[in-house]
């Protein structure tokens, strides 16, 4: 039987053995936590607290700034020290709420926010998700209540749990599936209640046979939920690639998954939905993998949002030797960090520290027209040509030759023997085009 997959893709060293067998540990945050008001795609949240205010764990400290936005909740109890711009992991200055942790972790009454799923309407479920501030936690940060509100919910045929975790080194979703599979399945059932005509699919790469077995055991009595094993290949967890692998349906840059009857959510996002609806707890923590050969004790941590990356690294024993590169996220789609005194957010996935920066050590050369970038591109476009258009600012040719179909996975840059920064050049042009479209 052929394995479920897509055309193109690569098989990089996955590095998962470093941390996959490390159970989730809690990180105790430091004295100061920083909550950027932009932790999601869309309008920034608006602060509803001021300097001197006392806050509790789970208290809303910023409300949505619009429909495509999400509120923010305190992850510790303490005192608001300021509402001011602070540097974030990308290097940008973002208006943020600064809270001094009192170390007591006094909580709001979560019981009063618990729901009874059997009695909740579709609107009540969506409101619970919106109020919990849940966003896509696979990296995109799109507000989940918006994603779960397509114009025609009755046309959704598949609710897909993205359990692939194809990004090298990351093992946070793997640990979540092993340690809390009941919450994953429970969250999937909640989302499926929003779409009465939909089947649920737990899509897992076949390099996680223990997760596949555990999830199949949990869902063997569930008539509308199935577990599908995917071929292990990067970027199997990309939304377009995942949908094609499990449904044989295709989408492009002008379409949404809902256009082909699908809704896709990441593991941590689905668990957050479960906790919001069934436990009344907003999104104020996530699982972060700290890994790489420059880390003393690689592990998976449960991190309260607002905790500084330096404190997360300390929980892993700090660096063993000086790293040449520190990355926020994975090596394929993450970005290099300038420092660690910046806050973790809802979209934090990993902290990767490497003793050798192999990319920067190589000088790019001219294209040799080998075609390898075309062979591995999951979007079936021509990265080398698009990078040339981007380099020469030929916007018309870039768009005409399907430059907007790039999913920025990095496969082309990875295989290029000339070490050309193909993905980076294409990404820059796509960003420019998207900005123009917004205007």
């Amino acid at each position: 039987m052929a394995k479920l997959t897509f055309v193109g893709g690569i098989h990089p060293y996955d590095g998962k053995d470093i941390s996959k067998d490390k159970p989730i540990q809690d990180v105790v945050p430091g004295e100061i936590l920083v909550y950027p008001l932009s932790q999601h795609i869309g309008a920034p949240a608006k602060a509803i607290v001021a300097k001197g205010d006392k806050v509790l764990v789970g208290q809303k400290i910023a409300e949505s700034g619009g429909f495509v936005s999400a509120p923010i909740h305190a992850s510790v109890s303490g005192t608001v020290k300021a509402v001011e711009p602070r540097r974030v992991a990308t290097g940008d200055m973002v208006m943020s709420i600064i809270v001094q942790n009192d170390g007591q972790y006094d909580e709001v009454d979560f019981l009063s926010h618990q729901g009874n799923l059997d009695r909740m309407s579709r609107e009540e479920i969506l409101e619970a998700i919106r109020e919990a501030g849940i966003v896509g936690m696979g990296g995109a940060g799109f507000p989940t209540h918006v994603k779960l509100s397509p114009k025609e919910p009755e046309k959704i045929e598949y609710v897909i749990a993205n359990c692939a975790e194809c990004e090298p080194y990351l093992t946070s979703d793997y640990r979540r599936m092993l340690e809390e599979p009941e919450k994953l399945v429970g969250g999937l059932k909640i989302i499926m209640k929003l779409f009465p005509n939909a089947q649920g699919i737990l899509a897992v790469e076949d390099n996680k046979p223990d997760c596949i077995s555990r999830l199949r055991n949990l869902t063997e009595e569930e008539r509308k939920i199935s577990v599908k094993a995917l071929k292990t290949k990067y970027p199997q967890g990309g939304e377009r690639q995942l949908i094609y692998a499990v449904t044989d349906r295709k989408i492009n840059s002008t379409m949404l998954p809902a256009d082909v009857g699908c809704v896709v959510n990441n593991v941590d996002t689905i668990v957050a939905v479960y906790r919001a609806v069934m436990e009344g707890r907003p999104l104020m923590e996530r699982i972060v993998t700290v890994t790489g050969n420059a880390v003393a004790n690689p592990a998976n941590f449960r991190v309260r949002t607002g905790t500084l990356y330096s404190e997360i690294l300390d929980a892993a024993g700090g660096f063993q030797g000086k790293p040449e590169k520190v990355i926020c996220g994975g090596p394929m789609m993450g970005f290099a960090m300038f420092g660690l005194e910046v806050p973790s957010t809802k979209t934090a996935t990993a902290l990767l520290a490497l003793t050798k920066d192999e990319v920067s050590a190589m000088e790019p050369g001219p294209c040799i027209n080998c075609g390898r970038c075309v062979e591995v591109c999951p979007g079936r476009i021509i990265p080398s040509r698009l990078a040339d258009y981007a380099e020469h600012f030929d916007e018309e040719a870039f768009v005409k030759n399907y430059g907007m179909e790039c999913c920025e996975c990095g496969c082309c840059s990875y295989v290029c023997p000339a070490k050309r920064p193909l993905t980076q050049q294409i990404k820059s042009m796509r960003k420019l085009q998207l900005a123009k479209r917004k205007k």
Side-chain angles (χ1 to χ4, degrees):
M1 180 179 176
K3 293 180 180 178
L4 301 176
T5 190
F6 60 97
V7 178
I10 57 176
H11 296 87
Y13 166 65
D14 71 6
K16 294 182 185 291
D17 286 344
I18 299 174
S19 60
K20 76 181 186 67
D21 296 325
K22 304 296 180 65
I24 298 168
Q25 309 172 42
D26 289 324
V27 171
V28 178
E31 183 180 357
I32 298 296
L33 287 93
V34 179
Y35 303 92
L37 296 180
S38 292
Q39 297 190 34
H40 50 265
I41 290 175
K46 298 178 180 179
I48 55 174
V49 293
K51 182 178 179 180
D53 288 351
K54 301 291 185 182
V55 298
L56 301 174
V57 176
Q59 179 179 331
K60 189 196 295 187
I61 56 177
E63 63 185 4
S64 300
F67 178 63
V68 183
S69 185
I72 296 167
H73 301 77
S75 57
V76 298
S77 56
T79 305
V80 177
K81 302 300 292 182
V83 180
E84 63 186 22
R86 284 293 181 97
R87 191 80 62 185
V88 295
T90 58
D92 299 325
M93 294 293 287
V94 175
M95 190 63 69
S96 306
I97 299 170
I98 291 80
V99 173
Q100 184 169 15
N101 183 7
D102 62 13
Q104 300 301 308
Y105 303 100
D106 295 324
E107 300 180 338
V108 301
D109 179 15
F110 293 120
L111 291 175
S112 64
H113 298 287
Q114 284 182 322
N116 184 325
L117 187 59
D118 292 332
R119 299 178 182 177
M120 293 178 76
S121 66
R122 185 175 196 279
E123 291 70 26
E124 289 171 331
I125 294 173
L126 287 171
E127 179 61 15
I129 293 170
R130 188 192 71 80
E131 274 297 301
I134 301 173
V135 302
M137 295 163 73
F142 193 80
T144 302
H145 71 279
V146 180
K147 178 181 279 193
L148 299 180
S149 303
K151 292 181 180 178
E152 299 176 295
E154 69 280 0
K155 291 186 178 181
I156 299 300
E157 298 176 70
Y158 297 102
V159 174
I160 304 171
N162 185 350
C163 309
E165 197 169 44
C166 64
E167 180 80 24
Y169 289 94
L170 274 60
T171 56
S172 55
D173 285 351
Y174 172 77
R175 293 310 312 180
R176 185 75 98 171
M177 285 187 278
L178 278 185
E179 298 182 38
E180 299 181 316
E182 297 84 1
K183 291 181 180 178
L184 172 59
V185 174
L188 180 59
K189 289 180 181 178
I190 292 170
I191 296 174
M192 288 173 64
K193 187 171 181 182
L194 301 174
F195 308 106
N197 299 323
Q199 297 284 325
I201 298 175
L202 293 150
V204 193
E205 280 194 325
D206 60 5
N207 63 350
K208 307 173 184 67
D210 43 0
C211 293
I212 292 172
S213 175
R214 187 160 297 191
L215 291 171
R216 280 180 173 162
N217 287 338
L218 271 177
T219 58
E220 60 183 354
E221 301 297 327
E222 299 293 338
R223 183 177 55 84
K224 296 185 69 175
I225 297 178
S226 61
V227 179
K228 295 197 175 184
L230 310 173
K231 182 177 180 180
T232 298
K233 182 169 63 170
Y234 178 85
Q236 189 69 264
E239 199 166 58
R240 298 184 205 175
Q241 290 72 46
L242 187 69
I243 290 173
Y244 179 76
V246 299
T247 71
D248 206 32
R249 300 179 182 185
K250 297 179 181 180
I251 61 172
N252 59 39
S253 63
T254 66
M255 302 168 67
L256 296 172
D259 294 331
V260 291
C262 298
V263 168
V264 182
N265 284 285
N266 148 273
V267 168
D268 241 2
T269 306
I270 295 173
V271 172
V273 167
Y274 175 87
R275 301 195 75 191
V277 175
M278 304 307 295
E279 300 176 1
R281 301 182 71 89
L283 175 54
M284 51 188 177
E285 64 179 37
R286 66 158 304 137
I287 310 302
V288 176
T289 302
V290 182
T291 186
N293 56 13
V295 175
N297 302 302
N300 299 285
F301 295 102
R302 182 177 289 102
V303 178
R304 294 174 186 254
T305 53
T307 303
L308 301 182
Y309 275 97
S310 58
E311 295 165 356
I312 304 173
L313 176 65
D314 287 344
F319 293 129
Q320 51 177 12
K322 186 177 181 180
E324 279 196 5
K325 177 166 279 188
V326 179
I327 299 172
C328 180
M332 299 302 296
M333 297 192 74
F335 54 88
M337 298 184 71
F338 66 93
L340 296 176
E341 297 303 315
V342 291
S344 60
T345 63
K346 298 176 183 181
T347 57
T349 56
L351 180 64
L352 172 62
L354 303 172
T355 55
K356 186 177 181 181
D357 182 0
E358 296 182 359
V359 176
S360 298
M362 298 181 181
E363 286 293 326
C367 176
I368 62 173
N369 295 312
C370 65
R372 293 183 190 176
C373 60
V374 179
E375 183 180 356
V376 302
C377 177
R380 317 318 296 153
I381 52 181
I382 307 176
S384 56
R385 185 178 298 169
L386 291 170
D388 287 338
Y389 295 145
E391 189 175 3
H392 294 93
F393 297 99
D394 190 341
E395 299 180 40
E396 183 179 348
F398 181 86
V399 174
K400 184 179 179 180
N401 286 273
Y402 308 104
M404 300 309 290
E405 296 307 313
C406 173
C407 64
E408 302 176 9
C409 65
C411 288
C412 55
S413 296
Y414 181 84
V415 301
C416 179
K419 300 304 173 187
R420 297 179 67 202
L422 302 172
T423 305
Q424 291 83 351
Q425 291 172 329
I426 296 171
K427 184 176 182 178
S428 296
M429 180 59 81
R430 288 187 76 251
K431 187 176 181 179
L432 176 64
Q433 293 301 312
L434 289 171
K436 286 188 174 182
R437 291 181 182 183
K438 286 183 179 179
K439 289 181 181 179

